[in-house]
Amino acid sequence: MNIYSNNSWKAIVEMLKSDIYKGLSEEECEKERKNSGDNRVFVPYKNGFIASLKNFFSIYIFLSVAIIGVLFYYSEYVMGSISTAIILISLIIKIIYTKNKTNKMKFLQNLNNTTTKVLRNGIPKEVKSEELVKGDIVYFSKGSLVPADIRIITANEIKVDEKNITGENFLKEKFDSKIDEAIYSIAEMKNMLFKGSSIAEGEGTGIVVATGNLTELGKMFTMIMDASKNKHTLGKRVEKKVGKIMIILSLVAIGTSIGSYYFQQNLYGLCLSLFAIQVMPLISIAFLYGIILKKDLHKKGIDLVNMSTLDIINEIEILFMDKIGSVTKEEMIVDKLYVNNKIFESKEIIYNREVTIKRLIETIVLCNNSTYDADQDLGEGELKEVAYLKFANEKMAYKSMLEANHRRVFEIPMDTDKRVITTINKVKQGSRANCRGNVDAILDRCSYIMIDGLEKEITPEDVERIKAIDYNFSLEGLITQGIAYRSFSYTPSREENIENNLVFVGLVALDNPLNDDIEEEISEIKNRGIIPIMITDDNKIVATSLGKKAKLVSSNNKVISGIEIYSLGNEELIDTVSRTRVFSRVTPELKARIIGLFIKDKYKVAASGESLGELPTISLSNLGIGKGDAPKIIKNAADLFIKNNYLKGFLSIFDIARKFNDGLAKVQAAIITMLFSEIVIINTLPLINNNIQVSYIPIIIINVILAIPLFLTLIHSPRDDDNKFILRSIVYSVLALAAIYDANSSFEIVLVATLGAFLLINTFINVSIPLKRVSAQLVLFIVSILIWLMSVGGLIFLYGLTLSIFAMVKIGVIILINLIYELILKRCQ
């Protein structure tokens, strides 16, 4: 983009072979559209079905297809059909998941479905924004949504809201002149308009220099999509783990089936064993537990957008923290004031006692766009402004009363150049400009100073003294603003140089308190081997003070400001950034650049974002964290969204990830125990009991209907590191075979009764189920018991059988033996 800013608009029009009087012809537009495409920002996701097919191939899928092939080859059509249905369900889940990711980005069509006034064949006309091409001459005015990246040709007092692009909250003044000096960021391109921003004031014309995904906004979204492709790892990891289990158990099944084939002269045992393996519910359990986990976290203000966060978080090496909401509280407090050449504590201030103090309080209330409800102690708006209103309210200077007596005429918003905000309000004898903003910027505009209610010319000594006080406030970590005003005997117009010849009133110093547990949280982050780095919009002095208070830095050389970074060469930049722990006055664009350096050096980075300008930050990071009141696009693009105190939320995910992975390991061990026992029983039972063969019905009951709720309960248990599942499998097999041995026609009922009971006992003993309150674990366990009882009853009804007293006593004794065994194992842990 620099080439367009560093050249005159005439050179750009000539370069793009356009004409400011005629524009492009329809033929030229069509030719350019064929070469470069249209002006739509599109999501680079492929069709959901195709993408799912691409992800379909894995060890799990290949083995499942192979098992299905074996089942159909040996005419086991029912088992083959059930196995096929399970594979299809897995594919459907993947398609839905991919489609949901695509649908989240459909809001981009809102950017494409606007209209634009364009010059074609010398005639101004309205066209759809998606029809714009490079070289088009376009018109824009107040309220227009910028339809493409545009080099300004004529500018009539243009002010633009570029928050969607740069993340900055200020309006930007734009002009048509070329920029001669070096440009380091798009925020400095004052003669350019970017797609997705909006015209707040003024009007003008320009020439389109980039369209569609070649615009800055389009590049941003492409970056998001490309980066997110490598972030969804959990599903692949679970499938890989399932594939390994299937390979091992399939080999066990083949081995045991070969032994029984000599006696049976058929491979039914192998088919049933493979079927039992194929319907293994680990993937379903992980998917369902993910849904439950997301709902639980949502209640705490945390959205687990990408389940793979539970994988990624353990790899994080660097955490970029925004100051507010992590290091400091989301509130500011008026701490001190400098007025009448004196420093006052806020509690010392009395509103109506002295003219200068009264003028200062009225200014911070009238030059304010926020609200504050004293009854609920709740404010809405910028933190500084809410702090001013709360302070004024305590002094009985109420915004509603002041605004009723001093009606606002208009506002001159703050921008990145002047960093001053002004409102014009009516007073008894005319109007008054109420101004506040950056102390240096205010002082540069002041010709007078009010002391003890009297205005006098401001002297260099006054300015030096004020700057010294401001410096000392900054050393204390306080955030300052200068307060000034200007009186008019009439109502000035917007065109007048209102923000000049101001009267300086005083300084307000605000404290942004540290979070209560920040030192412990920083210490915990460091203990996990993660380097915490803070990014703040404060000046370097305030940032240094804050960094030391939060134990982020111990020396000044670990703090750097954004303007210093721009002056560094590549080698200096890498060396400086690598040792810096606090970055001050950093724009979202520079923040993304810094993170990119760490990513390039193969560091695993977590970073947060709240505004659209921070989309690159979220997409570049290995773990992107949305926070606060972020718009929907940020929530969708992030891996993790935390509403409040995202640092505490970030740390809580470590324990959640550990419990999730430990739970999966526990379920994995339980599934191996279950399947190993079933394989042994399936292939041993015909040898010891007159060639009786187990049907697929008990396998469906145990492996699918009972296992899913039961193992969802088990997933909450702590991990058993003793790996006793092999011993447990042998015990299960021996006890179940002992119960089945002389069961004759009721053997399938006994199998479900015993093996189901073993799994229930294992879960109950190894999971701390709260019995005195309703919980998900308790509900799932009760559901599991009911399923077990109904399954046994259903089989009795299906086969028209009854169990003898001896059989029931025998089953009871075997279940009791298993209970004693599990208690012994638990005690030995």
Side-chain angles (χ1 to χ4, degrees), residues 328-374:
T328 63
K329 296 179 181 179
E330 293 193 44
E331 67 169 330
M332 288 190 183
I333 301 167
V334 174
D335 188 14
K336 296 178 181 179
L337 297 93
Y338 174 72
V339 64
N340 292 331
N341 288 333
K342 296 177 184 178
I343 296 174
F344 296 90
E345 298 287 338
S346 62
K347 61 185 178 183
E348 298 176 313
I349 297 295
I350 300 175
Y351 171 47
N352 270 319
R353 181 166 294 183
E354 198 276 330
V355 175
T356 310
I357 291 175
K358 182 180 179 182
R359 179 62 49 82
L360 183 146
I361 292 175
E362 287 180 351
T363 300
I364 62 175
V365 172
L366 293 171
C367 188
N368 196 308
N369 292 310
S370 298
T371 59
Y372 175 70
D373 184 339

Side-chain angles (χ1 to χ4, degrees), residues 187-244:
E188 298 176 10
M189 296 180 181
K190 298 295 187 68
N191 52 10
M192 293 286 299
L193 300 175
F194 299 102
K195 185 179 179 73
S197 54
S198 59
I199 309 297
E201 298 289 344
E203 58 185 9
T205 61
I207 181 168
V208 174
V209 297
T211 58
N213 276 47
L214 296 177
T215 62
E216 293 300 315
L217 184 68
K219 291 175 186 175
M220 194 184 298
F221 286 120
T222 302
M223 185 192 304
I224 294 167
M225 297 302 109
D226 289 342
S228 68
K229 289 177 184 177
N230 298 319
K231 290 186 176 184
H232 298 271
T233 59
L234 183 62
K236 293 178 182 178
R237 179 170 71 88
V238 173
E239 282 196 356
K240 188 176 181 180
K241 183 173 289 187
V242 170
K244 289 180 179 179

Side-chain angles (χ1 to χ4, degrees), residues 103 106 126 179 332 420 447 551 648 704 718 745 750:
N103 287 341
K106 279 188 175 178
E126 290 280 340
I179 299 174
M332 288 190 183
V420 172
S447 302
K551 307 298 183 186
K648 190 181 292 291
V704 181
S745 58
V750 176

Side-chain angles (χ1 to χ4, degrees), residues 20 84 89 154 178 184 258 264 266 274 379 401-402 457 490 506 524 618 684 687 695 697 741 796 801:
I20 63 166
T84 302
I89 290 171
T154 62
K178 73 174 183 178
Y184 297 101
I258 289 173
Q264 292 181 273
N266 66 61
L274 292 177
M401 294 177 61
L402 286 173
E457 286 191 15
Y490 61 95
E524 184 178 345
I618 286 179
T684 305
L687 307 180
S695 74
I697 294 176
Y741 177 68
I796 291 173
L801 300 172

Side-chain angles (χ1 to χ4, degrees), residues 54-73:
K54 184 179 178 181
N55 295 326
F56 191 72
F57 300 105
S58 64
I59 296 174
Y60 161 68
I61 297 298
F62 279 127
L63 286 173
S64 295
V65 171
I67 289 172
I68 291 169
V70 170
L71 294 175
F72 278 111
Y73 180 80

